[in-house]
Amino acid sequence: MKLHIIRHAEAVDRSSAIPDDYRYLTCRGRTRFRRVADTLKKCGIDPDIIISSPLVRAVQTAEILAETIRFAGELSILPLLADSFNLPRLKEYLESMAPIRELVMVGHEPDLGLIAGELLDHSPCTLKKGGVVTLKIRLHQPEIAAHFLWLVTGGGKLITNHDTAMTRLTGGPAQPKEA
């Protein structure tokens, strides 16, 4: 199964005037994420399901993607993606689903970066706003096996080289976790 892990695009800054749950995408965030979505469309993304955190900025990001790739399904809201989403929760979610070929999940840092890092067997990763990491995964009891496919930067640049992507995701050269 292909798994596309997407951090929401750039949103308005935190302030006392706008509660965190209602922070929305900036014009710049929308524009930049449209480039990301165009790149994903060129890569042939064809998800069975798009799940999103219920927070406004994540839902708006998922909507831009769905519109760009002409997704025929409904966006699904997964409240777990809003807070403390982790690899065991992802595994539990995947095991509860009927078999699917391709899944998009739109959420937040640091949760998504931690999941990507665990799946890639590296130190924690950080997804930049609007960034996407795509993995080929297989559920194995009790683990999930993952293989890196590509990274799309928050500006829409496609990176297929594993080492280059890991440098971007970790802020340094690829360093496998110690056993």
Side-chain angles (χ1 to χ4, degrees):
M1 169 178 113
K2 275 188 188 173
L3 173 63
H4 307 277
I5 301 172
I6 302 177
R7 181 180 181 188
H8 67 80
E10 179 184 297
V12 296
D13 291 334
R14 297 175 193 270
S15 76
S16 58
I18 303 172
D20 189 54
D21 290 1
Y22 299 103
R23 289 176 45 225
Y24 51 88
L25 298 183
T26 63
C27 290
R28 180 177 186 262
R30 290 172 192 273
T31 299
R32 286 175 57 90
F33 193 73
R34 282 189 183 94
R35 286 197 299 261
V36 171
D38 283 337
T39 300
L40 291 171
K41 183 177 180 180
K42 289 174 188 168
C43 289
I45 183 175
D46 185 23
D48 301 302
I49 300 171
I50 298 176
I51 59 172
S52 173
S53 154
L55 280 64
V56 171
R57 59 194 178 272
V59 173
Q60 290 176 326
T61 301
E63 289 174 336
I64 291 169
L65 176 65
E67 181 181 295
T68 301
I69 65 170
R70 300 183 189 272
F71 180 65
E74 292 293 321
L75 297 180
S76 297
I77 300 300
L78 184 64
L80 290 175
L81 276 168
D83 187 41
S84 301
F85 194 66
N86 57 28
L87 193 56
R89 285 183 165 184
L90 172 61
K91 187 172 185 289
E92 184 179 308
Y93 175 78
L94 293 173
E95 288 172 344
S96 73
M97 301 291 297
I100 54 177
R101 299 171 300 103
E102 200 165 341
L103 171 68
V104 169
M105 60 183 207
V106 182
H108 312 275
E109 278 295 304
D111 299 343
L112 297 181
L114 292 171
I115 289 170
E118 285 184 70
L119 287 171
L120 292 168
D121 202 26
H122 283 72
S123 48
C125 296
T126 301
L127 280 171
K128 302 291 184 192
K129 292 176 183 173
V132 182
V133 64
T134 298
L135 310 169
K136 177 94 172 164
I137 65 169
R138 286 185 308 281
L139 284 173
H140 294 289
Q141 298 303 332
E143 302 294 322
I144 299 177
H147 174 74
F148 172 81
L149 294 177
W150 66 72
L151 170 72
V152 179
T153 68
K157 180 180 178 184
L158 177 66
I159 299 172
T160 57
N161 179 279
H162 177 271
D163 291 339
T164 303
M166 291 313 299
T167 298
R168 290 274 187 124
L169 290 168
T170 63
Q175 297 292 325
K177 286 193 299 190
E178 302 212 9

